[in-house]
């Protein structure tokens, strides 16, 4: 059964019986490039970005795409050209930003485990801000910056201790999470940071979780952060910017997150009411910019009827689409070509070839499919390719960016040679 409308995918539609992304037939792409194949819509990415830009019209804001959601160069280039900065979590991501033509001064570096080498590299590149996540990291960053004769711009990630009401693995703003500095410690930690010669305090940040579909946790977190801004500034430490993180959810299955502009209308009203409306803002959206812009195409290999369950074995697996195995996440799965009206519909578990029972993509789906048919796994633009692995020595899939009627191969399929590069036999 095909969900109608297709969840969250504005550029995805059947024309006749063939599924198209923008003006490109996905069956044609699968035939040309093979499967598994990730396909992204440039128009969808820019539309998602547009919702933030509308929300922030006439405000001093820098949108920093949280690139761990999808770090493919061709995707980064779309956002770099649209004026985005980037939220990075490793030196590898910094290299990607620079390779895609991004501006280092618009990069912010988050993450709880930055190494000294990563700090040096980011300082040398001239990134905009380090989002520091622990008291120990503050001292190390100060030492690294002084050793190279520089000063590191820093913002401290505070933990507002609000429950984002999402999956526990993607909640990050509760006091028992590994992220950020406890609300109660924040003023003391800011005083310490401000006293260090290798650091320049420029901002404050928080990020409370991911796939958040309710605006209440955001409004609560904003109040907690603004309370801290007041306390920190009362201690004589001015804050140039407020970075409010990412985390806005997308529609995987009829989910109804607020749109970015509606959410920010509420948040900006709160900022204005509390007298911080003119402050420079940073935001770090990841999933909400790319998640619904992408699909992953896969071919049905085998039908495997069983006593209690029927399996539909496809050529994409948990190494390509890790979210179901990791978080029991739901992705809609639809055919690339609509079946005939009288084709028998069967309830199947859509599973991959990997040798793990956790290797499933969708459970109890109503599909009319035969071997050789092809399916699209929807909402696969975020946290799919960027989390893909070579488990079972499977090469990672190819990626295509669609732009109107044009399509560009932005990553070739990974070969066995690619996978073995760098390995050596000991004898
Ligand atoms: C992952 C992450 C984001 C982006 O989260 P989304 O849910 O993808 O919007 C933003 N900021 C930080 C610090 C992150 O770790």
């Amino acid at each position: 059964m095909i969900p109608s409308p297709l969840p969250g995918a504005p550029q995805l539609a059947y024309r006749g019986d063939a599924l198209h992304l923008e003006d490109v037939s996905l069956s044609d792409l699968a035939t040309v490039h093979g499967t598994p194949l990730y396909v992204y819509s440039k128009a969808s990415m820019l539309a998602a970005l547009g919702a933030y830009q509308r929300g922030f019209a006439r405000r001093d804001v820098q949108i920093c795409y949280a690139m761990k959601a999808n770090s493919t160069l061709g995707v980064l280039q779309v956002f770099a050209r649209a004026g985005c900065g980037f939220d990075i979590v490793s030196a590898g991501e910094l290299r990607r930003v620079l390779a895609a033509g991004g501006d280092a001064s618009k990069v912010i570096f988050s993450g709880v485990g930055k190494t000294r080498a990563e700090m040096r590299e980011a300082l040398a590149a001239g990134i905009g801000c380090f989002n520091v996540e622990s008291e120990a990291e503050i001292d190390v960053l100060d030492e690294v910056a002084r050793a190279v004769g520089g000063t590191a711009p820093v913002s401290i990630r505070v933990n507002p201790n609000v429950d984002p009401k999402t999956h526990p693995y993607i909640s990050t703003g509760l006091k028992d999470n590994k992220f950020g500095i406890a609300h109660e410690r924040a003023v003391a930690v800011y005083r310490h940071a401000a006293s260090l010669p290798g650091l320049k305090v420029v901002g404050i940040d928080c990020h409370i979780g991911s796939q958040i579909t309710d605006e209440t946790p955001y409004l609560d977190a904003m109040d907690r952060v603004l309370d801290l801004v007041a306390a920190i500034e009362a201690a004589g430490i001015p804050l140039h910017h407020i970075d409010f993180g990412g985390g806005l959810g997308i529609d995987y299955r009829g989910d109804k997150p607020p749109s970015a502009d509606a959410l920010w209308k509420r948040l900006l009203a709160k900022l204005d009411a509390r007298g911080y409306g003119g402050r420079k803002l940073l935001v770090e959206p990841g999933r909400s910019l790319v998640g619904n812009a992408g699909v992953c195409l896969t071919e049905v290999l085998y039908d495997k009827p069983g006593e209690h369950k029927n399996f539909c074995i496809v050529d994409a697996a948990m190494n390509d689409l890790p979210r179901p195995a990791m978080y029991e996440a739901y992705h809609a799965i639809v055919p690339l070509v609509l079946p005939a009206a009288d084709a028998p519909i069967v309830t199947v578990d859509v599973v991959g070839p990997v040798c793990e029972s956790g290797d499933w993509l969708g459970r109890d789906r109503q599909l009319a499919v035969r071997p050789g048919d092809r399916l699209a796994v929807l909402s696969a633009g975020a946290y799919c390719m960027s989390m893909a692995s070579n488990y079972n020595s499977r090469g990672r899939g190819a990626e295509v960016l669609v732009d109107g009627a044009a399509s560009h191969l932005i990553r070739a399929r990974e070969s066995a040679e690619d996978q073995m590069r760098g390995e050596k036999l000991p004898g």
Side-chain angles (χ1 to χ4, degrees):
M1 237 103 56
I2 294 140
S4 173
L6 296 169
Q11 297 291 338
L12 193 64
Y14 288 95
R15 294 193 189 166
D17 59 3
L19 189 61
H20 282 64
L21 189 61
E22 300 194 28
D23 298 327
V24 175
S25 152
L26 292 174
S27 286
D28 290 353
L29 282 184
T31 302
V32 171
H33 299 286
T35 50
L37 181 71
Y38 305 85
V39 190
Y40 310 118
S41 155
K42 181 177 173 185
S44 292
M45 291 191 258
L46 292 178
L49 177 63
Y52 281 91
Q53 289 167 329
R54 266 199 310 284
F56 291 120
R58 293 177 300 281
R59 300 277 180 159
D60 185 10
V61 67
Q62 177 64 56
I63 299 170
C64 293
Y65 166 51
M67 62 179 283
K68 73 179 189 288
N70 188 322
S71 51
T72 300
L73 296 178
V75 170
L76 302 184
Q77 188 186 57
V78 171
F79 290 112
R81 288 191 174 165
C84 287
F86 296 90
D87 175 57
I88 65 167
V89 291
S90 72
E93 289 195 340
L94 176 58
R95 298 280 178 102
R96 284 183 169 275
V97 168
L98 300 176
D103 178 349
S105 72
K106 295 184 191 167
V107 166
I108 51 182
F109 193 171
S110 302
V112 296
K114 304 174 192 79
T115 66
R116 286 176 162 81
E118 287 180 315
M119 291 172 178
R120 276 193 290 276
E121 190 172 334
L123 276 168
I127 68 160
C129 187
F130 288 84
N131 285 355
V132 174
E133 302 229 15
S134 66
E135 299 183 44
E137 186 192 338
I138 288 176
D139 292 317
V140 172
L141 182 58
D142 171 58
E143 180 194 309
V144 169
R146 281 189 289 116
V148 300
T151 31
V154 297
S155 149
I156 293 173
R157 177 165 174 182
V158 297
N159 194 329
N161 196 24
V162 299
D163 185 353
K165 304 189 187 101
T166 181
H167 189 284
Y169 285 11
I170 50 178
S171 296
T172 58
L174 284 163
K175 68 178 179 344
D176 293 334
N177 292 132
K178 70 176 176 180
F179 302 98
I181 285 172
H183 199 264
E184 299 72 23
R185 294 279 310 144
V187 176
V189 175
Y190 264 96
R191 278 188 207 276
H192 177 58
S195 75
L196 297 174
L199 305 184
K200 178 176 182 0
V201 171
V202 294
I204 186 167
D205 73 284
C206 79
H207 171 72
I208 56 175
S210 197
Q211 186 52 18
I212 302 169
T213 53
D214 181 359
E215 66 183 22
T216 316
Y218 277 108
L219 290 162
D220 292 349
M222 175 69 87
D223 270 325
R224 310 266 305 180
V225 169
L226 293 182
D227 291 346
L228 281 178
V229 173
I232 293 160
E233 295 197 325
I237 304 165
L239 297 175
H240 173 255
H241 73 246
I242 301 173
D243 173 348
F244 212 59
L248 183 58
I250 62 169
D251 178 12
Y252 286 100
R253 185 188 200 173
D255 305 288
K256 297 218 163 26
S259 65
D261 49 336
L263 173 67
W264 275 96
K265 197 170 174 193
R266 298 286 302 273
L267 289 169
L268 288 166
K270 189 179 272 296
L271 276 164
D272 289 342
R274 293 193 55 175
Y276 295 101
R279 197 64 59 101
K280 170 145 190 169
L281 291 172
L282 268 61
V283 284
E284 310 165 353
R287 185 191 313 269
S288 54
L289 293 183
V290 290
N292 278 327
V295 295
C296 181
L297 311 185
T298 183
E299 181 170 317
V300 178
L301 300 174
Y302 302 103
D303 278 331
K304 186 170 177 184
E307 201 180 325
H308 300 294
K309 269 209 179 277
N310 301 302
F311 292 100
C312 168
I313 301 170
V314 300
D315 68 358
M318 64 187 284
N319 72 298
D320 306 295
L321 294 156
R323 299 185 62 259
M326 278 183 77
Y327 321 114
E328 306 210 314
Y330 182 95
H331 287 270
I333 301 175
V334 302
L336 295 198
V337 177
L338 289 174
D342 59 352
I345 290 175
V346 182
T347 302
V348 294
D349 277 12
V350 179
V351 301
V354 163
C355 301
E356 298 270 350
S357 293
D359 179 27
W360 56 276
L361 304 181
R363 288 183 167 148
D364 297 324
R365 302 304 173 87
Q366 314 274 300
L367 289 168
V369 280
R370 287 195 308 236
D373 288 350
R374 289 175 299 203
L375 300 168
V377 179
L378 306 191
S379 310
Y383 302 108
C384 291
M385 183 52 160
S386 62
M387 283 182 151
S389 78
N390 290 125
Y391 189 38
N392 282 211
S393 290
R394 292 166 50 84
R396 287 175 300 162
E399 295 179 290
V400 167
L401 180 72
V402 160
D403 182 8
S407 62
H408 307 275
L409 182 68
I410 55 172
R411 185 198 296 258
R413 187 170 302 285
E414 202 173 20
S415 67
E417 292 70 36
D418 293 335
Q419 286 187 61
M420 289 187 280
R421 184 167 302 130
E423 291 186 45
K424 288 188 174 60
L425 295 171

